Amino acid sequence: MAQAVSVMDKLVSLAKRRGFVFQSSEIYGGLGSVWDYGPLGVELKNNLKKLWWRAMVQEREDIEGLDAAILMHPRVWEASGHVAGFTDPLVDCKICKNRFRADDERIKGKPGEPDAQCPVCGNRGSLTAPRMFNLMFKTFIGPVEDEAAIVYLRPETAQGIYVNYLNVMQSSRQKIPFGIAQIGKAFRNEITPGNFIFRTREFEQAEMQFFVRPGEDEKWFEYWREERMNWHVTLGISRNKLRFHEHSPEELAHYAKRAFDIQYEFPFGWQEFEGIHNRTDYDLSRHQQYSGKKLEYVDGVTKERFIPYVIETSLGIDRLMLVVLVDAYHEEEVAGEKRVVLRLHPALAPIKAGVFPLVNKDGMPEIARRLYDDLRRKMPVFYDDGGSIGRRYRRQDEAGTPFGITVDGQTTQDQTVTVRDRDTLAQERVHLDQVARYLEERLAS
Ligand code: GAP
């Protein structure tokens, strides 16, 4: 456990040092379990979202994109079951005022009874009986803060898809089976958040709802389970650290008939970062009932009417980012020195190459600058002339930059530079005119 903690600690510190992730509102002491993405973090996150969007929307003819608003009509959350059912049982300590989930393993005894002991202050009999606490954030729409003006910050993006399913289907002329995908923020007032960006109160989801004929749901469920696992492998995530976990009847969410998590082996154990759910016709039926609007699908040939079943794939982008960072993090010895390197897949790397003049004289900075200006128009690159060349390499290793390009004495004579590979540490001499092509070929493979 001590080692597990220290790997996470090292990662949190690297993430801050290199500008991947900062604590939100840090100068005010931070805001609990809310994080900000820095210059490298936002690039990495955008790369993940771009690859997901490409695979799930742009490369497929049976999925359409959507960007629904975060705020929705409050009846949506009654229909979806979130007002009544999206709750955790909580207990309060009447003495130290701390609040816990009723199933917190540290609680000794049964909350509400005289012998139950508070895990923080240690008093007996101080814990209240469990009370249900809704995880949705509430706010008010318009100038009057009364019950009628309550709206929620969405706890999942999926509902924006369900309420737009007819709009999307009709405007894009899709027929079942087809899907709708979107990426966006979701909010949950989590009681026990933690583990860095693993469980936060504001996070981003990449969700896809696939509408199918009832009876074909199980076939599509299997299809999507495989597709999603395979996609993670294409990102370079270690296959032996990925597995499925099927939900037992007790674990199933209120809307699900069957569910699989895709889990990763984090330093703190196997945990979910994507869910594949068979949501049946639950959501669309409820929206039909609550809105009074027909949400049936009419088969153009048979004229059959039915409410489609939905297979959902629901990925947490922040969790995927943690998976990618943990999986890429390596410490190794090179020539008797410790090296920390993020072995990010080149498609994910925020910076594709560092450009360095070996020394700041003899015409080297001018050549390096020109090369940098040329490459910058083609890919994200970073110019660094500060400190020894070894230190500059190490900074880029920590940022996950796949290539380091050094302009040295020989460059001024034969117009070649050295290109260093982050993973193999091999160095090749490449002609200045060929550098862009050299990188493009290797980044594409
Ligand atoms: N629409 C279905 C749904 O929201 P979920 O299992 O509650 O299902 C799906 O969430 C994914 O969203 C999770 O696998 C996780 O990656 C991400 N997620 C959920 N809660 C989160 C939180 N508090 N912080 C970060 N990511 C979260």
Side-chain angles (χ1 to χ4, degrees):
M1 198 59 202
Q3 201 198 342
V5 171
S6 85
V7 170
M8 284 304 291
D9 285 349
K10 286 181 199 169
L11 196 68
V12 172
S13 132
L14 180 146
K16 179 173 179 189
R17 188 166 70 243
R18 288 286 157 253
F20 283 96
V21 184
F22 307 127
Q23 194 182 14
S24 159
S25 322
E26 189 185 358
I27 60 169
Y28 288 98
L31 179 66
S33 280
V34 185
W35 299 89
D36 297 339
Y37 291 93
L40 297 194
V42 63
E43 292 291 337
L44 174 55
K45 204 172 179 216
N46 281 342
N47 289 341
L48 289 169
K49 291 193 278 185
K50 219 164 45 198
L51 290 171
W52 186 87
W53 192 258
R54 194 191 298 156
M56 296 296 278
V57 181
Q58 293 171 335
E59 288 178 358
R60 299 190 63 112
E61 51 181 348
D62 56 356
I63 300 185
E64 304 290 338
L66 179 73
D67 183 12
I70 289 171
L71 300 178
M72 301 181 75
H73 194 290
R75 290 276 285 167
V76 166
W77 306 108
E78 290 172 32
S80 70
H82 283 84
V83 170
F86 196 54
T87 51
D88 271 347
L90 294 189
V91 300
D92 290 298
C93 174
K94 287 179 273 190
I95 295 174
C96 71
K97 308 292 179 208
N98 273 294
R99 188 168 255 201
F100 314 92
R101 279 175 62 121
D103 58 5
D104 192 317
E105 284 165 4
R106 298 169 304 164
I107 296 177
K108 306 247 180 338
K110 205 162 163 231
E113 299 199 345
D115 59 341
Q117 197 173 346
C118 171
V120 172
C121 68
N123 279 295
R124 280 153 80 94
S126 64
L127 297 180
T128 64
R131 282 186 291 223
M132 288 315 226
F133 175 83
N134 197 295
L135 300 185
M136 285 194 292
F137 281 99
K138 276 184 200 172
T139 187
F140 300 96
I141 198 155
V144 186
E145 296 193 3
D146 65 11
E147 278 290 313
I150 287 178
V151 288
Y152 300 96
L153 302 189
R154 64 182 178 197
E156 62 170 6
T157 63
Q159 300 301 327
I161 294 182
Y162 301 137
V163 300
N164 275 300
Y165 122 89
L166 283 183
N167 286 336
V168 173
M169 188 171 68
Q170 285 156 5
S171 57
S172 61
R173 303 177 58 228
Q174 284 282 0
K175 291 191 179 61
I176 270 173
F178 81 101
I180 305 176
Q182 86 167 328
I183 298 176
K185 290 269 183 159
F187 302 83
R188 297 182 190 178
N189 200 359
E190 300 279 4
I191 308 313
T192 44
N195 282 328
F196 194 31
I197 52 173
F198 178 79
R199 182 170 285 110
T200 56
R201 296 194 165 107
E202 173 176 342
F203 55 97
E204 208 156 2
Q205 290 186 317
E207 295 198 306
M208 192 281 299
Q209 315 296 318
F210 204 73
F211 301 88
V212 303
R213 180 180 280 275
E216 295 193 349
D217 49 312
E218 284 171 25
K219 179 183 86 184
W220 282 108
F221 183 76
E222 289 307 319
Y223 169 85
W224 280 111
R225 205 161 79 83
E226 288 307 314
E227 277 291 298
R228 295 305 308 142
M229 177 63 96
N230 293 343
W231 184 76
H232 293 298
V233 176
T234 67
L235 300 183
I237 300 168
S238 313
R239 181 62 185 87
N240 63 345
K241 297 216 161 200
L242 293 169
R243 73 174 188 195
F244 286 115
H245 163 76
E246 179 162 18
H247 282 210
S248 63
E250 302 77 58
E251 287 173 277
L252 283 176
H254 60 274
Y255 50 71
K257 167 175 152 189
R258 210 159 164 227
F260 274 92
D261 292 339
I262 298 180
Q263 296 185 328
Y264 179 78
E265 190 177 15
F266 290 98
F268 45 88
W270 287 95
Q271 294 286 343
E272 158 198 7
F273 67 103
E274 172 154 18
I276 292 91
H277 311 128
N278 183 342
R279 293 180 73 135
T280 69
D281 58 359
Y282 174 84
D283 299 272
L284 290 182
S285 300
R286 295 271 294 192
H287 285 306
Q288 175 165 287
Q289 183 192 338
Y290 277 68
S291 68
K293 296 278 183 324
K294 280 252 170 289
L295 297 179
E296 287 169 339
Y297 179 81
V298 185
D299 189 301
V301 179
T302 63
K303 305 292 173 220
E304 219 183 323
R305 291 172 174 270
F306 56 86
I307 297 205
Y309 267 43
V310 171
I311 306 303
E312 169 184 68
T313 70
S314 177
L315 169 67
I317 291 289
D318 312 76
R319 275 195 200 173
L320 175 61
M321 180 138 159
L322 186 58
V323 167
V324 161
L325 287 172
V326 166
D327 206 61
Y329 184 90
H330 287 88
E331 285 176 12
E332 54 194 36
E333 287 256 320
V334 175
E337 270 192 56
K338 195 182 106 181
R339 168 170 100 119
V340 173
V341 55
L342 283 188
R343 294 190 193 279
L344 292 174
H345 187 293
L348 300 182
I351 302 169
K352 308 302 180 192
V355 180
F356 320 118
L358 183 63
V359 287
N360 284 312
K361 57 180 186 186
D362 301 335
M364 293 180 214
E366 291 75 10
I367 300 174
R369 267 267 152 204
R370 268 204 306 279
L371 178 62
Y372 167 71
D373 286 338
D374 174 44
L375 291 175
R376 195 151 51 98
R377 285 193 290 270
K378 302 186 171 84
M379 64 189 76
V381 284
F382 188 77
Y383 184 85
D384 191 357
D385 60 7
S388 73
I389 193 71
R391 284 187 57 178
R392 284 179 269 168
Y393 282 150
R394 279 195 293 279
R395 282 200 286 262
Q396 292 308 312
D397 285 344
E398 282 197 338
T401 306
F403 297 102
I405 303 167
T406 305
V407 171
D408 56 19
Q410 198 178 324
T411 314
T412 54
Q413 288 156 28
D414 67 3
Q415 310 291 298
T416 64
V417 291
T418 58
V419 182
R420 169 188 180 267
D421 182 297
R422 174 197 70 196
D423 298 334
T424 64
L425 298 177
Q427 303 209 6
E428 259 190 86
R429 287 209 82 88
V430 178
H431 196 275
L432 273 172
D433 294 345
Q434 296 297 317
V435 173
R437 231 191 50 212
Y438 178 97
L439 295 179
E440 277 163 353
E441 277 170 15
R442 276 153 189 82
L443 291 167
S445 61

Coordinates of all heavy atoms in Angstrom, one line a residue, residues 339-379:
R339 N 15.8 8.1 -14.5 CA 15.0 8.9 -15.6 C 13.6 8.6 -15.3 O 13.1 7.4 -15.2 CB 15.5 8.4 -16.9 CG 14.6 8.9 -18.1 CD 15.2 8.6 -19.4 NE 14.7 7.4 -20.1 CZ 14.0 7.4 -21.2 NH1 13.9 8.6 -21.9 NH2 13.5 6.3 -21.8
V340 N 12.7 9.6 -15.3 CA 11.3 9.5 -15.3 C 10.8 9.8 -16.7 O 11.1 10.8 -17.3 CB 10.7 10.5 -14.3 CG1 9.1 10.4 -14.3 CG2 11.1 10.2 -12.9
V341 N 10.0 8.9 -17.2 CA 9.6 9.0 -18.6 C 8.1 8.7 -18.7 O 7.6 7.7 -18.1 CB 10.4 8.2 -19.6 CG1 10.5 6.8 -19.2 CG2 10.0 8.4 -21.0
L342 N 7.3 9.5 -19.4 CA 6.0 9.1 -19.8 C 6.0 8.5 -21.2 O 6.2 9.3 -22.1 CB 5.1 10.4 -19.8 CG 4.6 11.0 -18.5 CD1 3.6 12.1 -18.7 CD2 4.0 9.9 -17.5
R343 N 5.7 7.2 -21.2 CA 5.7 6.6 -22.6 C 4.4 6.7 -23.2 O 3.7 5.7 -23.4 CB 6.1 5.1 -22.4 CG 7.5 4.9 -21.9 CD 7.9 3.4 -22.1 NE 9.1 3.0 -21.4 CZ 10.3 3.2 -21.9 NH1 10.5 3.8 -23.0 NH2 11.3 2.8 -21.2
L344 N 4.0 7.9 -23.5 CA 2.6 8.2 -24.1 C 2.7 7.7 -25.5 O 3.7 7.9 -26.2 CB 2.3 9.6 -24.0 CG 2.0 10.2 -22.6 CD1 1.8 11.8 -22.8 CD2 0.7 9.6 -22.0
H345 N 1.6 7.2 -26.0 CA 1.4 6.9 -27.4 C 1.6 8.2 -28.2 O 1.1 9.3 -27.7 CB 0.0 6.4 -27.7 CG -0.3 5.9 -29.0 ND1 -0.3 6.7 -30.1 CD2 -0.5 4.7 -29.5 CE1 -0.5 6.0 -31.2 NE2 -0.7 4.8 -30.9
P346 N 2.4 8.2 -29.3 CA 2.6 9.5 -30.0 C 1.4 10.3 -30.3 O 1.4 11.5 -30.3 CB 3.4 9.0 -31.2 CG 3.9 7.7 -30.9 CD 3.0 7.1 -29.9
A347 N 0.3 9.6 -30.6 CA -1.0 10.3 -31.0 C -1.5 11.1 -29.8 O -2.3 12.0 -29.9 CB -2.0 9.3 -31.5
L348 N -1.1 10.6 -28.6 CA -1.7 11.3 -27.3 C -0.7 12.4 -26.8 O -1.1 13.3 -26.1 CB -1.9 10.3 -26.2 CG -2.8 9.1 -26.5 CD1 -3.0 8.2 -25.3 CD2 -4.2 9.7 -26.9
A349 N 0.6 12.2 -27.2 CA 1.6 13.1 -26.6 C 1.2 14.6 -26.8 O 0.9 15.0 -28.0 CB 2.9 12.8 -27.2
P350 N 1.2 15.4 -25.8 CA 0.8 16.9 -26.0 C 1.8 17.6 -26.9 O 1.5 18.4 -27.6 CB 0.9 17.4 -24.5 CG 0.9 16.3 -23.6 CD 1.5 15.1 -24.4
I351 N 3.1 17.2 -26.7 CA 4.2 17.9 -27.6 C 4.8 16.7 -28.4 O 5.1 15.7 -27.8 CB 5.3 18.5 -26.7 CG1 4.6 19.6 -25.8 CG2 6.4 19.1 -27.5 CD1 5.6 20.1 -24.7
K352 N 5.0 16.9 -29.6 CA 5.5 15.8 -30.5 C 7.0 15.8 -30.5 O 7.6 14.8 -30.7 CB 4.9 15.9 -31.9 CG 3.4 16.0 -32.0 CD 2.7 14.8 -31.3 CE 1.2 15.0 -31.4 NZ 0.4 14.1 -30.5
A353 N 7.6 17.0 -30.4 CA 9.1 17.0 -30.5 C 9.6 18.3 -29.8 O 8.9 19.3 -29.8 CB 9.6 17.0 -31.9
G354 N 10.7 18.1 -29.1 CA 11.4 19.3 -28.5 C 12.5 19.7 -29.5 O 13.2 18.8 -30.1
V355 N 12.8 21.0 -29.6 CA 13.8 21.5 -30.5 C 14.9 22.2 -29.6 O 14.5 23.1 -28.9 CB 13.3 22.4 -31.6 CG1 14.4 22.9 -32.5 CG2 12.2 21.7 -32.4
F356 N 16.1 21.8 -29.7 CA 17.2 22.3 -28.8 C 18.4 22.7 -29.6 O 19.0 21.9 -30.3 CB 17.6 21.2 -27.8 CG 16.5 20.4 -27.2 CD1 16.5 19.0 -27.5 CD2 15.5 21.0 -26.5 CE1 15.5 18.2 -26.9 CE2 14.5 20.2 -26.0 CZ 14.5 18.8 -26.2
P357 N 18.9 24.0 -29.4 CA 20.3 24.3 -29.8 C 21.2 23.7 -28.7 O 21.0 23.9 -27.5 CB 20.3 25.8 -29.8 CG 19.2 26.2 -28.9 CD 18.2 25.1 -28.8
L358 N 22.3 23.0 -29.2 CA 23.2 22.4 -28.2 C 23.7 23.5 -27.3 O 23.8 23.3 -26.0 CB 24.3 21.6 -28.9 CG 25.2 20.9 -27.9 CD1 24.5 19.8 -27.1 CD2 26.4 20.3 -28.7
V359 N 24.2 24.6 -27.9 CA 24.7 25.7 -27.1 C 24.1 27.0 -27.7 O 23.7 27.0 -28.9 CB 26.3 25.8 -27.1 CG1 26.9 24.8 -26.2 CG2 26.8 25.8 -28.5
N360 N 24.1 28.1 -27.0 CA 23.5 29.3 -27.5 C 24.5 30.2 -28.2 O 24.6 31.4 -27.9 CB 22.8 30.0 -26.3 CG 21.5 29.3 -25.9 OD1 20.7 29.0 -26.8 ND2 21.3 29.1 -24.7
K361 N 25.2 29.6 -29.1 CA 26.1 30.4 -29.9 C 26.5 29.7 -31.2 O 25.9 28.6 -31.5 CB 27.4 30.7 -29.1 CG 28.1 29.4 -28.6 CD 29.3 29.8 -27.8 CE 30.0 28.5 -27.4 NZ 31.2 28.6 -26.6
D362 N 27.4 30.2 -32.0 CA 27.9 29.6 -33.2 C 26.8 29.3 -34.2 O 26.8 28.3 -34.9 CB 28.6 28.3 -32.9 CG 29.8 28.5 -32.0 OD1 30.3 29.7 -31.9 OD2 30.2 27.6 -31.3
G363 N 25.8 30.1 -34.2 CA 24.7 30.0 -35.2 C 23.7 28.9 -34.9 O 22.7 28.8 -35.7
M364 N 23.9 28.2 -33.8 CA 22.9 27.1 -33.5 C 21.5 27.6 -33.2 O 20.5 27.0 -33.7 CB 23.5 26.2 -32.4 CG 24.7 25.4 -32.9 SD 25.4 24.4 -31.6 CE 27.1 24.5 -31.8
P365 N 21.4 28.6 -32.3 CA 20.0 29.0 -32.0 C 19.2 29.5 -33.2 O 18.0 29.2 -33.3 CB 20.2 30.2 -31.0 CG 21.6 30.1 -30.5 CD 22.4 29.4 -31.6
E366 N 19.9 30.1 -34.2 CA 19.2 30.6 -35.4 C 18.6 29.4 -36.2 O 17.5 29.5 -36.6 CB 20.1 31.5 -36.3 CG 20.5 32.8 -35.7 CD 21.6 32.7 -34.6 OE1 22.2 31.6 -34.4 OE2 21.9 33.8 -33.9
I367 N 19.5 28.4 -36.3 CA 19.0 27.2 -37.1 C 17.9 26.6 -36.4 O 16.8 26.2 -37.0 CB 20.2 26.2 -37.4 CG1 21.3 26.9 -38.1 CG2 19.7 25.0 -38.1 CD1 22.5 26.0 -38.3
A368 N 18.0 26.4 -35.1 CA 17.0 25.7 -34.3 C 15.7 26.5 -34.3 O 14.6 25.9 -34.4 CB 17.5 25.5 -32.8
R369 N 15.8 27.8 -34.2 CA 14.6 28.6 -34.3 C 13.8 28.4 -35.6 O 12.6 28.3 -35.6 CB 14.9 30.1 -34.1 CG 14.9 30.6 -32.7 CD 13.5 31.2 -32.5 NE 13.2 31.1 -31.1 CZ 12.0 31.1 -30.6 NH1 10.9 31.1 -31.4 NH2 11.8 31.0 -29.3
R370 N 14.6 28.4 -36.7 CA 14.0 28.3 -38.0 C 13.3 27.0 -38.1 O 12.2 26.9 -38.6 CB 15.1 28.4 -39.1 CG 15.2 29.9 -39.6 CD 15.8 29.9 -41.0 NE 17.1 29.2 -41.2 CZ 18.3 29.7 -40.8 NH1 18.4 30.9 -40.3 NH2 19.4 28.9 -41.0
L371 N 14.0 25.9 -37.6 CA 13.4 24.6 -37.6 C 12.1 24.5 -36.8 O 11.0 24.0 -37.2 CB 14.4 23.5 -37.1 CG 13.9 22.1 -37.0 CD1 13.6 21.6 -38.4 CD2 14.9 21.2 -36.4
Y372 N 12.2 25.1 -35.6 CA 11.0 25.2 -34.7 C 9.8 25.9 -35.4 O 8.7 25.4 -35.4 CB 11.4 25.9 -33.4 CG 10.3 26.3 -32.6 CD1 9.5 25.3 -31.9 CD2 10.0 27.6 -32.4 CE1 8.5 25.7 -31.0 CE2 8.9 28.0 -31.6 CZ 8.2 27.1 -30.9 OH 7.1 27.4 -30.1
D373 N 10.1 27.1 -36.0 CA 9.1 27.8 -36.7 C 8.4 27.0 -37.8 O 7.2 27.1 -38.0 CB 9.6 29.2 -37.3 CG 9.9 30.2 -36.2 OD1 9.3 30.0 -35.1 OD2 10.7 31.1 -36.4
D374 N 9.2 26.2 -38.5 CA 8.7 25.4 -39.6 C 7.8 24.3 -39.0 O 6.7 24.0 -39.5 CB 9.9 24.9 -40.4 CG 9.4 23.9 -41.5 OD1 8.4 24.2 -42.1 OD2 10.0 22.8 -41.6
L375 N 8.3 23.6 -38.0 CA 7.6 22.4 -37.5 C 6.3 22.8 -36.8 O 5.3 22.1 -36.8 CB 8.5 21.7 -36.5 CG 9.7 21.0 -37.1 CD1 10.6 20.4 -35.9 CD2 9.3 19.8 -38.0
R376 N 6.4 24.0 -36.1 CA 5.2 24.5 -35.3 C 3.9 24.6 -36.2 O 2.8 24.5 -35.6 CB 5.6 25.9 -34.8 CG 4.8 26.5 -33.7 CD 5.6 27.4 -32.9 NE 6.3 28.4 -33.7 CZ 5.9 29.6 -33.8 NH1 4.8 30.0 -33.3 NH2 6.6 30.5 -34.5
R377 N 4.1 24.8 -37.5 CA 2.9 24.9 -38.3 C 2.3 23.6 -38.6 O 1.2 23.4 -39.1 CB 3.2 25.7 -39.6 CG 3.4 27.2 -39.4 CD 3.4 27.9 -40.7 NE 4.7 27.6 -41.4 CZ 5.8 28.3 -41.3 NH1 5.8 29.4 -40.6 NH2 6.8 28.0 -42.0
K378 N 3.1 22.5 -38.3 CA 2.6 21.1 -38.7 C 2.2 20.3 -37.5 O 1.4 19.4 -37.6 CB 3.7 20.4 -39.4 CG 4.2 21.2 -40.7 CD 5.2 20.3 -41.5 CE 5.5 21.0 -42.8 NZ 6.6 22.0 -42.7
M379 N 2.8 20.6 -36.3 CA 2.5 19.8 -35.1 C 2.9 20.6 -33.9 O 3.7 21.5 -34.0 CB 3.3 18.5 -35.2 CG 4.8 18.7 -35.2 SD 5.7 17.2 -35.5 CE 5.5 17.0 -37.3

